[in-house]
Amino acid sequence: MMLLRLVTLATSLLGLVTPALTIPSPAAPFKVKPFRVNLSKNVPHMLDLIRSTQLPAKPQYPGIGSSFGIDLDALKALKQEWLHDFDWEREQASINKFYHYAVTVEGLQIHFIHEKSKDPNAIPLLLCHGWPGSFLEFLPIIKDLTQRARTSTGRNVSFDIIIPSLPGFAFSSSPPQNWTLDDTARVYNTLMTKVLGYETYAVHGTAHGVAISFTLYDEFNTTARAAHLVFMFFHPTTPEEISARNISLSPLEQFELQRSVEWGVNGMGYFVMQTTKPNTVGLALHDNPVGQLAWIGDKYIDCRVALTQAAGTSLTFFTGSDPRAGTAPSILTTNELLRCVSLYYLTGTFRSSIYIYAQDPGAFERVPRRARTDAPLLVSFFKYNTAFWPREVIAMVGNLTKYRNHDFGGTFAGLDNPPALIEDLREIGTDWQY
């Protein structure tokens, strides 16, 4: 503890103010170190590669747009913005406004953000991202969640926010071969309980983070005492299953089901490649920032196109008077996409990140199963997500206490519709056992 205080004092004198962490005991075998994001030395090389990358003069076939992947004109515009308008130093300064730490657990360095509420009754909330996300997608919701607010039932609620980087992502070290999301869940539980000293906590997950969150909810059920999910850990419900269960769908749910079916047919190419040929993709794009932008951007742009369509604008990625602006309440802008890809490239983790698919190909299970817990389960769905499960099916897997379906938002809820996600996460406080 004395060592941590000295480190904290030293970083404060250098202007890198870091708050004290809750450590279980002075004899604990975990050394939590303040962490500073500094990737500036790699930026000139990245910009040189972007500048020298030559894209085709015209599309292979005119008029196909993004129906076969990222649109050439969109990629060209993003490349120009990356070179002339995007500023990594500005983004890095913004990222460093939050409190970052690193700790070694089971031989892995785990990078995490830890933002504490001033409320002594704050609920510890673990936010779990997936691919192609990162801790960045949760930054817009941190401040609101650490402040005291009220749930729909009038209870006061605030959160201590913990956002780890997945092993192999950003500043967390790559895991050993055959590492599964269950292994990550175990490490995260250690982070919450033995490193940070929380006896109980709530968990939120999106994409692969949902599988981690459900494992915590199911297997670590004495410590993970509430879960909020925006995706499911098992395969999407099919029209045939809905018919067999005699489930009636609202117009919103019918739209979501159709989008889920279309995604299963046309949107799974990256999933197959990263599950079966991660090294081929990873090596091809390792030192190719524009290539990473095309690969990652295809998924982000699918989300953005859907949101612009929802706003009644044309089905293009660039819309409005400022083509880089988001479609409110979404803040999924082109700058956000470039920030995401820059983080992957500058940390050299594109290849290690996509191995999350090949390492654990069965992470998303085929059928639902019931969690071994009575803890509350809260679920939020967003219209333009890529998969669909009706409430009746979700109720089979846990103690479903809240279910909300929003007519705006998509895969990256913290960016697509931050106000709705914040409001729904606060509902954890309704059933939380203080």
Side-chain angles (χ1 to χ4, degrees):
M1 185 64 74
M2 179 59 70
L3 176 59
L4 179 62
R5 289 174 178 169
L6 290 173
V7 171
T8 302
L9 176 60
T11 54
S12 298
L13 292 174
L14 290 172
L16 314 180
V17 181
T18 304
L21 286 178
T22 303
I23 304 299
S25 73
F30 301 102
K31 295 182 179 179
V32 180
K33 299 178 181 179
F35 187 90
R36 190 79 170 171
V37 176
N38 185 3
L39 299 171
S40 300
K41 68 177 182 179
N42 300 327
V43 172
H45 178 63
M46 179 181 76
L47 293 176
D48 285 344
L49 289 174
I50 296 169
R51 193 175 294 110
S52 62
T53 298
Q54 297 186 22
L55 294 172
K58 59 182 181 179
Q60 183 70 31
Y61 301 105
I64 63 173
S66 60
S67 58
F68 283 89
I70 192 168
D71 179 73
L72 175 61
D73 289 338
L75 187 59
K76 286 181 176 179
L78 285 165
K79 176 187 171 184
Q80 290 304 307
E81 182 179 341
W82 213 352
L83 287 172
H84 302 296
D85 298 303
F86 182 79
D87 183 351
W88 174 257
E89 296 301 325
R90 178 189 64 211
E91 302 303 328
Q92 186 167 264
S94 175
I95 292 168
N96 277 323
K97 291 180 180 178
F98 298 92
Y99 297 120
H100 297 255
Y101 301 90
V103 66
T104 299
V105 180
E106 296 189 20
L108 297 178
Q109 172 173 289
I110 299 298
H111 157 261
F112 64 99
I113 289 174
H114 190 202
E115 292 282 330
K116 300 190 69 173
S117 170
K118 295 180 180 179
D119 185 352
N121 294 318
I123 301 169
L125 176 59
L126 175 69
L127 303 180
C128 304
H129 71 83
W131 190 93
S134 70
F135 66 87
L136 294 177
E137 69 183 89
F138 296 129
L139 298 188
I141 66 175
I142 290 176
K143 181 178 179 181
D144 286 298
L145 290 175
T146 57
Q147 296 175 345
R148 180 180 288 190
R150 289 188 181 275
T151 69
S152 61
T153 58
R155 291 186 72 175
N156 289 327
V157 63
S158 66
F159 299 93
D160 286 353
I161 299 297
I162 301 90
I163 311 172
S165 292
L166 278 164
F169 287 65
F171 308 104
S172 290
S173 54
S174 297
Q177 192 172 359
N178 300 320
W179 186 267
T180 68
L181 295 181
D182 285 350
D183 294 321
T184 299
R186 183 181 65 252
V187 166
Y188 280 6
N189 186 69
T190 298
L191 172 67
M192 295 298 290
T193 59
K194 296 182 180 179
V195 176
L196 300 180
Y198 293 116
E199 293 183 2
T200 58
Y201 58 90
V203 61
H204 161 81
T206 181
H208 284 87
V210 166
I212 297 167
S213 298
F214 189 80
T215 295
L216 290 168
Y217 177 72
D218 174 34
E219 295 185 19
F220 297 88
N221 49 38
T222 60
T223 51
R225 295 303 301 157
H228 178 270
L229 308 177
V230 296
F231 207 76
M232 281 290 117
F233 64 93
F234 54 94
H235 288 196
T237 309
T238 66
E240 293 76 16
E241 291 171 322
I242 289 173
S243 177
R245 295 180 184 275
N246 198 29
I247 297 173
S248 298
L249 301 182
S250 68
L252 174 59
E253 291 172 321
Q254 291 172 4
F255 179 93
E256 292 168 333
L257 174 62
Q258 183 59 38
R259 181 167 167 82
S260 178
V261 171
E262 291 172 355
W263 181 262
V265 174
N266 300 314
M268 297 295 289
Y270 78 96
F271 187 100
V272 174
M273 281 295 293
Q274 291 177 188
T275 301
T276 60
K277 302 290 184 182
N279 220 37
T280 300
V281 177
L283 290 175
L285 301 182
H286 173 71
D287 199 27
N288 186 342
V290 175
Q292 291 184 24
L293 174 61
W295 192 264
I296 294 173
D298 183 56
K299 189 163 185 179
Y300 269 83
I301 289 173
D302 174 77
C303 218
R304 172 70 184 275
V305 165
L307 297 184
T308 57
Q309 182 186 30
T313 55
S314 59
L315 252 180
T316 60
F317 185 48
F318 301 98
T319 58
S321 58
D322 182 354
R324 292 161 296 182
T327 303
S330 171
I331 56 173
L332 182 56
T333 62
T334 52
N335 187 83
E336 192 66 38
L337 169 57
L338 294 174
R339 183 164 77 152
C340 169
V341 178
S342 295
L343 180 68
Y344 273 91
Y345 178 79
L346 294 172
T347 56
T349 56
F350 176 82
R351 183 167 65 118
S352 60
S353 73
I354 64 175
Y355 259 94
I356 195 171
Y357 288 83
Q359 294 275 72
D360 195 358
F364 292 95
E365 303 173 22
R366 292 195 172 277
V367 295
R369 57 183 172 86
R370 186 80 181 183
R372 295 160 291 186
T373 182
D374 62 352
L377 173 66
L378 302 87
V379 173
S380 301
F381 281 157
F382 296 84
K383 183 175 182 178
Y384 296 95
N385 210 329
T386 56
F388 171 71
W389 300 263
R391 180 176 187 156
E392 292 84 346
V393 173
I394 297 169
M396 298 167 56
V397 306
N399 178 22
L400 185 62
T401 59
K402 295 287 187 302
Y403 173 88
R404 290 180 174 176
N405 199 344
H406 300 279
D407 62 3
F408 191 87
T411 303
F412 308 96
L415 301 172
D416 294 334
N417 195 342
L421 181 60
I422 291 167
E423 182 180 358
D424 290 1
L425 285 171
R426 284 175 174 158
E427 287 303 300
I428 292 172
T430 298
D431 300 307
W432 183 257
Q433 298 298 314
Y434 287 92

